[in-house]
Amino acid sequence: MNKLNQGYYKIWKNDFYTIEANIVRSLWEDKFIKSFEKRLNKIILEIFENSKNKLLENNILISILFTGDKKVAELNNYYRKIHKPTNVLSFPSKEINNRNEIFLGDIVFSSQTITEEAKTDNKNLEDHLIHLFIHGVLHLLGYDHQKEHDAHIMESLEIKILKNLKIENPYN
């Protein structure tokens, strides 16, 4: 397989955000990525309106890697000392780049884990990815779920955003 077929790069941009995505073509269907892309503006708008985070008053940049279990397991092991894949990893940054954007950080998705979870939990695959994207962006904004109180705040915000997007509560 040549490099061209292994992956591709997309930039989704508007007046207040830029999302740079690297997609491993063999693991992510083009139609799935296009469907996500069509809903991206609404998703980002809901996150911004509901999180009320001051960082979002600036132009922001987020980097996404759409990959699979192997790469996610490597990253999870290296950064978190957890020796298995997971659905999403977030790496906050909050640096200002040379375009005066705030780089919020990186989000990494595993296609195999996300697909398996959607099947096991009888969830719509696209809705599940959208939920995990929201979850990842909230981590980049400083939300956490390590303590019960913080988890309640983060999950409540996710549920509210998803409801506005007409996606069911994933925690039921």
Side-chain angles (χ1 to χ4, degrees), residues 115-127:
T115 301
E116 180 149 333
E117 288 173 347
K119 284 181 187 173
T120 300
D121 298 337
N122 199 27
K123 294 179 180 176
N124 174 286
L125 185 57
E126 183 180 330
D127 290 352

Side-chain angles (χ1 to χ4, degrees), residues 56-110:
L56 301 176
E57 294 173 2
N58 303 285
N59 288 336
I60 64 154
L61 171 63
I62 297 171
S63 174
I64 301 175
L65 174 59
F66 291 92
T67 189
D69 278 353
K70 183 178 178 187
K71 184 65 175 176
V72 170
E74 289 173 14
L75 293 169
N76 209 15
N77 182 41
Y78 185 81
Y79 289 103
R80 300 176 64 218
K81 307 301 181 226
I82 297 173
H83 308 289
K84 63 179 185 175
T86 187
N87 50 21
V88 62
L89 292 170
S90 299
F91 301 96
S93 174
K94 297 181 185 72
E95 293 180 11
I96 298 176
N97 67 17
N98 60 2
R99 296 176 294 202
N100 285 327
E101 295 172 313
I102 294 181
F103 175 53
L104 290 183
D106 300 286
I107 299 173
V108 183
F109 295 110
S110 171

